[in-house]
Amino acid sequence: MEEPEMQLKGKKGLLWISRTWYWKNAWGVAIMRIVALFMFTLWVTDKFTESVYVLANEPSVALYRLQEHVRRSLPELAQHKADMQRWEEQSQGAIYTVEYACSAVKNLVDSSVYFRSVEGLLKQAISIRDHMHAAAQGHSPEEPPPPFSA
């Protein structure tokens, strides 16, 4: 039995097998159809792959993918935003409380002058009371009370 002569012929890619082999072999018709089907399958898969590649890189597909990504990630981002806003409100409340406490302490420090003045006035009042108490009992006070000054 002789070897089949196979070659690709023409621009259309037709497969040519020697006629002698085709007619002598009982399976010739089936083999020719299988080879033709195989070649057609290769051509179809190449065209399909090319079409899929073009469609996958089309701008509208990219926008669709971006939309899907946003749709999937947006609820989580919205939850994070709400959490951050709640934490910001709590932080602002704590900052206000600390600032108010600092201003209260500063006011207390600033009012120390008035506390010293009140302390001096209380000492003077106690001294006057002691002198009046001693004068009411008939004793002469050893030192006169200081004059009242406000």
Side-chain angles (χ1 to χ4, degrees):
M1 186 184 270
E2 61 185 56
E3 293 282 326
E5 298 173 18
M6 297 193 305
Q7 65 181 5
L8 215 49
K9 187 175 185 180
K11 293 182 180 178
K12 295 183 181 179
L14 297 175
L15 188 66
W16 178 80
I17 298 178
S18 116
R19 289 184 182 162
T20 57
W21 180 80
Y22 177 78
W23 291 111
K24 287 182 182 177
N25 195 334
W27 296 94
V29 175
I31 291 174
M32 285 294 292
R33 287 183 179 171
I34 290 172
V35 169
L37 183 62
F38 179 73
M39 295 299 287
F40 181 72
T41 305
L42 288 177
W43 179 80
V44 167
T45 55
D46 284 344
K47 291 297 180 182
F48 181 74
T49 303
E50 181 182 341
S51 298
V52 167
Y53 181 77
V54 167
L55 287 175
N57 293 314
E58 188 180 4
S60 63
V61 174
L63 292 175
Y64 173 75
R65 289 179 182 160
L66 183 63
Q67 176 191 4
E68 286 296 308
H69 171 71
V70 168
R71 184 183 59 81
R72 271 188 256 119
S73 62
L74 189 63
E76 184 179 345
L77 290 174
Q79 181 62 38
H80 284 303
K81 180 182 176 184
D83 291 343
M84 293 301 287
Q85 286 176 338
R86 187 171 18 93
W87 292 340
E88 181 185 14
E89 289 172 4
Q90 291 173 350
S91 299
Q92 289 297 328
I95 289 170
Y96 176 76
T97 303
V98 168
E99 286 177 351
Y100 185 74
C102 287
S103 69
V105 169
K106 183 177 180 278
N107 288 338
L108 282 175
V109 169
D110 291 343
S111 64
S112 66
V113 174
Y114 301 110
F115 284 126
R116 277 190 241 117
S117 173
V118 168
E119 181 185 17
L121 290 173
L122 284 173
K123 285 181 183 178
Q124 187 179 9
I126 291 171
S127 173
I128 291 173
R129 184 199 67 182
D130 289 345
H131 282 282
M132 289 175 60
H133 186 62
Q137 291 184 358
H139 301 293
S140 68
E142 294 176 7
E143 53 180 79
F148 180 75
S149 63

